[in-house]
Amino acid sequence: MPPHQPHVVLGVCGGIAAYKAVDVCRRLVDVGVYVAPVLTDEATRFVGEATFSALASEPVQRSLFDEASPIPHTRLGQGADLVLVVPATAHFLARYAAGMADDLLCATLLATRAPVLVCPAMHTEMWEHPAVSDNLALLVRRGVLVVAPEEGRLAGGDSGAGRLADPDTIVARALDVLGATGSVVGPGRGDLAGRLVVVSAGGTREPLDPVRFLTNRSSGKQGHALAEAAARRGAKVTLVTASALAVSPGIDVVPVASAADMEAALRAVAPRADVIVMAAAVADFRPKAPAAHKLVKADGVPDLVLEPTPDILSGLAAERRPGQVLVGFAAETDDPIGRGRRKLAQKGVDLLVVNDVTAPGAGFDHDTNAVTILDADGGATAVPLMSKSAVADAVFDRVTAQLDPERNSP
Ligand code: C5P
């Protein structure tokens, strides 16, 4: 059977960044994707229909009513493997969040079960407006994927947050999403192809006796999303996890419970790893002498003596092989960036992902997260509230920039 040609509906809204959607369209077609362009009326004020019609796999469509079929939105929506919106304007996000179906693009979005990837672009004031943040947060909660805008030059000579992400980033993300749906464009694709990525996840459980343990509120969702993202991007993945969440086939899973188990499992695989991401919430203390038999009430309240656990990440950093990229996580409640910077230096890692676990929608057990990725050169990348899967991609975008392009896992 010939491989399935992935179908992308490319929605283009009316913003100055619409001209960059031309490049996204061309690049997707170049790698074998079928692209059906849908322009809003406002988009045509910025880019010509003829440009997209010439480059895409079929002519531009703009209206619910001008095709031979009276229901073009259902044909487009049902046939799509991905709906990609470049640029997503504030007006579009509001209409999509409200479930409006008053033009072909919004009607198609209601008529699809395919993943949806939106790439917002607008002036900083608009991007930071609570109405826009709220609409985007609502869409993220519904599973919509986002390629966040970057800081940079905006229309009218202004500069700030809100510039459309680079077309390279958008195309890479779209191909990753298509890969995850099974519509792989070509073998060995992905910027982590040929790499071994090791991820730790979940909260460790430190036994008090055979039936009781000390643990924390980590769900493992962010760690598992990291493992899935690395696999989507072509890596061979080992996931050392204290969480019982489901894992996609193809990911090697090493289930663990305590910090000691996790350390042993990580040390066994670390020498071969190109990238190690310590997303696990490792207990800092454990009972010094767990009881061999269940503690019983009749014996009175036990004396609980704790001892520190080994710092796994510092140990891995001390023994890392050249070129290996190490990423730590830090869940903080006070002065997250300051504490994160100190932790990055103390632990000797390349990147530290700081999580303010008190921020709404971020941290333990949520499906969304907002983080800041600190690097060893003093740089910081703010990743606003988005799905944990999108946060995972933001982390690997930073990781791939640090990987030596010549070197693969031994
Ligand atoms: O020191 P703290 O727990 O805040 O550091 C967080 C980072 O260190 C995380 O990446 C976590 O997985 C890792 N860690 C570790 N061993 C420990 C405690 C934390 O590897 N004992």
Side-chain angles (χ1 to χ4, degrees):
M1 204 174 74
H4 168 70
Q5 183 185 24
H7 276 51
V8 171
V9 171
L10 176 62
V12 184
C13 303
I16 183 65
Y19 75 95
K20 295 187 185 168
V22 174
D23 200 22
V24 170
C25 174
R26 185 187 54 78
R27 290 188 205 199
L28 287 172
V29 170
D30 281 352
V31 295
V33 174
Y34 185 99
V35 179
V38 174
L39 271 59
T40 64
D41 284 344
E42 293 77 17
T44 60
R45 294 175 181 269
F46 294 89
V47 277
E49 265 184 62
T51 313
F52 281 98
S53 291
L55 293 170
S57 312
E58 62 176 51
V60 162
Q61 293 188 64
R62 282 175 53 188
S63 162
L64 279 158
F65 305 107
D66 64 5
E67 209 194 27
S69 155
I71 46 169
H73 56 295
T74 52
R75 179 188 71 82
L76 285 162
Q78 289 167 355
D81 296 298
L82 169 70
V83 182
L84 172 64
V85 184
V86 186
T89 56
H91 183 225
F92 161 78
L93 293 171
R95 290 190 303 124
Y96 184 24
M100 313 255 307
D102 56 345
D103 71 359
L104 183 56
L105 179 57
C106 282
T108 300
L109 284 161
L110 291 190
T112 194
R113 295 205 171 126
V116 176
L117 180 58
V118 298
C119 308
M122 61 201 76
H123 254 73
T124 310
E125 293 80 356
M126 296 174 81
W127 172 241
E128 291 177 352
H129 195 285
V132 173
S133 316
D134 286 356
N135 286 329
L136 195 62
L138 175 61
L139 291 170
V140 166
R141 281 204 297 282
R142 290 181 188 152
V144 171
L145 305 168
V146 181
V147 180
E150 298 169 350
E151 300 240 344
R153 205 151 62 85
L154 302 166
D158 291 340
S159 180
R163 188 174 70 158
L164 183 74
D166 195 77
D168 269 348
T169 310
I170 295 172
V171 170
R173 194 67 204 294
L175 294 177
D176 284 342
V177 178
L178 288 169
T181 64
S183 334
V184 178
V185 178
R189 278 208 62 83
D191 52 5
L192 290 170
R195 309 286 188 173
L196 174 62
V197 173
V198 175
V199 179
S200 71
T204 63
R205 297 184 292 281
E206 309 301 330
L208 280 161
D209 69 13
V211 298
R212 303 183 179 92
F213 51 77
L214 298 179
T215 190
N216 57 65
R217 296 180 55 206
S218 166
S219 63
K221 283 182 181 173
Q222 184 63 75
H224 280 234
L226 283 153
E228 300 286 342
R232 233 175 23 240
R233 294 169 79 136
K236 188 166 164 22
V237 181
T238 298
L239 173 62
V240 177
T241 181
S243 158
L245 289 172
V247 182
S248 294
I251 294 178
D252 290 332
V253 182
V254 184
V256 293
S258 66
D261 297 344
M262 185 167 274
E263 184 180 33
L266 286 168
R267 289 180 79 102
V269 70
R272 288 180 289 115
D274 297 289
V275 181
I276 303 179
V277 185
M278 273 299 294
V282 184
D284 289 324
F285 312 104
R286 64 186 170 202
K288 189 166 184 178
H293 300 282
K294 185 183 167 191
L295 298 164
V296 290
K297 259 191 277 191
D299 292 339
V301 178
D303 277 338
L304 184 55
V305 181
L306 299 176
E307 65 176 6
T309 54
D311 192 315
I312 305 173
L313 190 51
S314 303
L316 295 173
E319 290 176 20
R320 75 159 102 185
R321 71 179 174 88
Q324 189 175 65
V325 176
L326 269 184
V327 185
F329 268 68
E332 303 291 350
T333 54
D334 304 291
D335 182 23
I337 303 296
R339 293 177 76 107
R341 285 235 168 275
R342 288 194 288 281
K343 227 165 247 187
L344 182 134
Q346 276 159 13
K347 295 196 184 245
V349 295
D350 302 293
L351 298 171
L352 194 95
V353 184
V354 190
N355 225 172
D356 177 354
V357 287
T358 61
F364 299 126
D365 211 30
H366 290 286
D367 291 322
T368 49
N369 209 355
V371 302
T372 304
I373 306 171
L374 304 178
D375 63 45
D377 297 330
T381 308
V383 181
L385 192 68
M386 56 182 73
S387 68
K388 286 190 169 170
S389 172
V391 169
D393 273 310
V395 171
F396 284 117
D397 288 345
R398 297 290 297 108
V399 166
T400 51
Q402 304 223 352
L403 275 171
D404 178 349
E406 299 302 315
R407 201 187 163 99
N408 272 357
S409 47

